[in-house]
Amino acid sequence: MGRNLQNGERLRPVDLARGHGLSTQAVRNYEEAGILPAADRTPTGYRTYTSLHAEALRAFLALVPGHGHQTATSIMRAVNQGAVDEAFRLIDESHAQLLDDRRTLQAVESALRDLEPTTGYGSDAAAGPGASSGPVDRFIGPLAEELGIRPATLRKWERAGLMCPRRDALTGYRVYDESDVRDARLAHQLRRGGYLLEQIAPLIAQLRSAGGLEPLEAALSDWRGRVSARGRAMLTGAAELEAYLRERG
């Protein structure tokens, strides 16, 4: 729906819905959720909308790809309640998260590129249960603390096949050697990037056997594309939100 509506023109729910491929019920739900301003009612009880509601709907739909449905809803609610600074704070948080995701991606790429062939994946695969402990060996508690996660998370990753720590012969405790620590760090980075355990396990398995960045290039390229697409979507959402703010006066 274009922006050539006159401020006083009255629109039905179907008029708003049609231009965005929505149902009229979705439009009503958006109003009830506070995403759209409250509609006026005809004497017979039917909702009537204006160009302001059309701008609000455009802004919300443009915000969703960059910020997610929940945050986009909170942004629109804040604006409609007159709490524009709160809306800006929510937007800032999304941008901060996107920057953090971009840095995480760069950290994963850097970590993988820094792997030397002699110390890369698969180099210590022959180390068995009797191998001596090296200076990088960790027990589960210290490794979890280093990564900022719970020991239960490391045990979950182990069950998913992301790593296979040996057991200390005397205590039976898990001992994470150099390759396990490296796998745990990579798994932690990929989880932050939005990957599921079942997606991470084959990637780590490929890296163990191939030793390098190439097996992960397709996944990293996809991740990079999603980060860029989200950044661009945030620009589009910002433009539509600004148009809505101007319409509100």
Side-chain angles (χ1 to χ4, degrees):
M1 184 176 293
R3 289 199 172 89
N4 58 353
L5 293 171
Q6 299 300 315
N7 287 340
E9 184 175 349
R10 296 297 172 178
L11 305 170
R12 300 165 299 168
V14 67
D15 297 322
L16 289 183
R18 186 182 292 126
H20 300 284
L22 301 172
S23 67
T24 54
Q25 184 59 51
V27 172
R28 289 190 287 268
N29 290 343
Y30 289 159
E31 181 192 345
E32 291 171 1
I35 293 167
L36 305 182
D40 291 333
R41 298 277 185 153
T42 67
T44 55
Y46 290 107
R47 289 175 171 87
T48 61
Y49 298 107
T50 66
S51 60
L52 182 66
H53 298 89
E55 289 286 2
L57 182 58
R58 272 192 294 268
F60 171 70
L61 295 177
L63 288 168
V64 169
H67 299 273
H69 193 280
Q70 182 176 348
T71 299
T73 297
S74 297
I75 291 169
M76 294 303 296
R77 282 176 177 164
V79 169
N80 291 329
Q81 292 168 0
V84 177
D85 284 344
E86 172 63 13
F88 291 160
R89 184 191 67 79
L90 292 167
I91 292 170
D92 290 344
E93 285 187 349
S94 280
H95 280 282
Q97 181 60 59
L98 179 62
L99 179 59
D100 189 51
D101 291 346
R102 193 180 298 278
R103 286 171 173 163
T104 297
L105 169 61
Q106 292 170 344
V108 171
E109 292 176 322
S110 177
L112 290 172
R113 290 193 182 100
D114 288 345
L115 288 176
E116 295 293 338
T118 56
T119 60
Y121 283 86
S123 63
D124 51 6
S132 59
S133 296
V136 300
D137 287 355
R138 312 275 203 288
F139 288 117
I140 191 169
L143 179 56
E145 182 176 358
E146 178 182 323
L147 296 176
I149 59 178
R150 297 179 302 168
T153 300
L154 284 172
R155 289 192 287 268
K156 182 178 180 180
W157 291 356
E158 180 184 344
R159 292 193 297 271
L162 273 58
M163 60 204 69
C164 187
R166 63 183 175 85
R167 296 281 185 158
D168 183 83
L170 296 178
T171 65
Y173 294 156
R174 292 172 172 83
V175 178
Y176 296 83
D177 64 18
E178 181 180 2
S179 64
D180 294 318
V181 171
R182 185 179 53 233
D183 291 348
R185 288 173 175 163
L186 179 58
H188 184 47
Q189 297 282 38
L190 290 173
R191 286 291 289 143
R192 291 182 63 193
Y195 282 85
L196 304 175
L197 294 182
E198 54 265 33
Q199 295 173 310
I200 296 173
L203 295 176
I204 289 181
Q206 285 179 314
L207 284 166
R208 288 184 189 133
S209 61
L213 177 62
E214 185 176 354
L216 256 185
E217 186 55 42
L220 291 174
S221 178
D222 173 68
W223 186 358
R224 198 179 306 116
R226 288 188 287 116
V227 167
S228 295
R230 188 179 173 201
R232 187 165 185 173
M234 285 182 173
L235 292 177
T236 302
E240 293 292 353
L241 182 61
E242 170 62 19
Y244 178 51
L245 291 172
R246 287 199 307 269
E247 182 79 8
R248 285 176 59 88

